[in-house]
Amino acid sequence: MRDARVVGHDLGTAVAFQYAAQFPEDTELLGYLDLPLPGPASPRPSSGTTSALAAGGSGIPRV
């Protein structure tokens, strides 16, 4: 394929980046939407954490 315009969405962005990296001479344009950020998922705050934040605390639960 020549002069491909590659677009990735969400996790498909990884596929689009991989294609563009593997075939740079065939890729005319690379676009992406809603790129997921790498890293660990943040746990949902518990009601205690939310209350601590509302009270001006750090939101970090004490162990």
Side-chain angles (χ1 to χ4, degrees), residues 8-28:
H9 175 260
D10 200 45
L11 291 176
T13 303
V15 176
F17 272 103
Q18 180 60 39
Y19 180 89
Q22 191 170 353
F23 303 106
E25 66 281 349
D26 295 337
T27 305
E28 178 183 355

Side-chain angles (χ1 to χ4, degrees), residues 6 9-10 12 16 26 29-30 32-33 36-37 47 49 51-52 54:
V6 183
H9 175 260
D10 200 45
D26 295 337
L29 180 84
L30 173 62
Y32 50 89
L33 304 163
L37 298 176
S47 59
T49 303
S51 299

